[in-house]
Amino acid sequence: MPRIEFYVLSSATPAERLRAACQLAMKAWRAGLPVFLRGADAQQCAELDELLWRFKAEAFVPHDLHQDDPHAPVVIGLDEQPVAEQGVLINLSPSLSPFIERFSRIIEIVNQEPDLLTACRENFRSYRQRGYDPQRVEL
């Protein structure tokens, strides 16, 4: 059963949420875990792809879009089935992944934007209804 955590940011800035996702992806990759960054839409996936190239000048995070290389250490996608199992899912989509059981850890990143707060609260309830024990982590 995956460990599920809701990382809560104090700001409502979408850019800070994406930056936090990149930092968490880098940390998981450095720990040797496969990472699936699940975007809300194709535009957000493209933003994540670009941001992973430049968010830390002194670091490189090997990544690719799912359609280009589903075997990359950090994969950016939507609802594609991940190739690697027991990795980390960083979910930026307002809905649950259809592949929850394929991950050992799921991270939902929450900021203070009202619509996102509502969606994340619903996700929290959905995880509980499915028998998971999601935890809240303040950033």
Side-chain angles (χ1 to χ4, degrees):
M1 181 174 284
R3 182 173 86 194
I4 300 170
E5 298 165 314
F6 282 73
Y7 281 65
V8 182
L9 303 172
S10 59
S11 77
T13 310
E16 286 185 37
R17 186 169 179 248
L18 295 183
R19 185 167 179 73
C22 290
Q23 289 171 331
L24 290 165
M26 182 177 69
K27 185 177 178 181
W29 166 70
R30 284 185 172 167
L33 298 168
V35 178
F36 193 96
L37 261 168
R38 182 175 180 242
D41 54 35
Q43 179 182 342
Q44 189 177 62
C45 289
E47 288 176 52
L48 286 164
D49 183 30
E50 178 60 32
L51 186 57
L52 278 168
W53 284 109
R54 60 180 168 77
F55 88 102
K56 273 207 182 254
E58 70 281 0
F60 171 70
V61 178
H63 68 280
D64 218 329
L65 296 171
H66 187 275
Q67 69 260 21
D68 296 333
D69 183 4
H71 298 280
V74 175
V75 176
I76 303 165
L78 297 170
D79 286 332
E80 301 90 354
Q81 182 169 338
V83 172
E85 289 193 40
Q86 300 306 306
V88 176
L89 168 65
I90 300 173
N91 189 28
L92 297 171
S93 175
S95 63
L96 300 186
S97 167
F99 302 105
I100 291 170
E101 290 300 323
R102 292 192 54 104
F103 299 98
S104 62
R105 185 172 179 199
I106 298 172
I107 298 172
E108 302 260 352
I109 302 176
V110 184
N111 70 12
Q112 301 305 307
E113 192 265 320
D115 288 342
L116 181 62
L117 276 173
T118 300
C120 287
R121 285 181 181 130
E122 183 57 39
N123 283 356
F124 195 92
R125 281 190 289 276
S126 293
Y127 284 123
R128 279 210 169 139
Q129 289 170 350
R130 293 175 182 211
Y132 300 106
D133 183 27
Q135 301 298 309
R136 179 185 169 105
V137 178
E138 297 287 335
L139 289 182

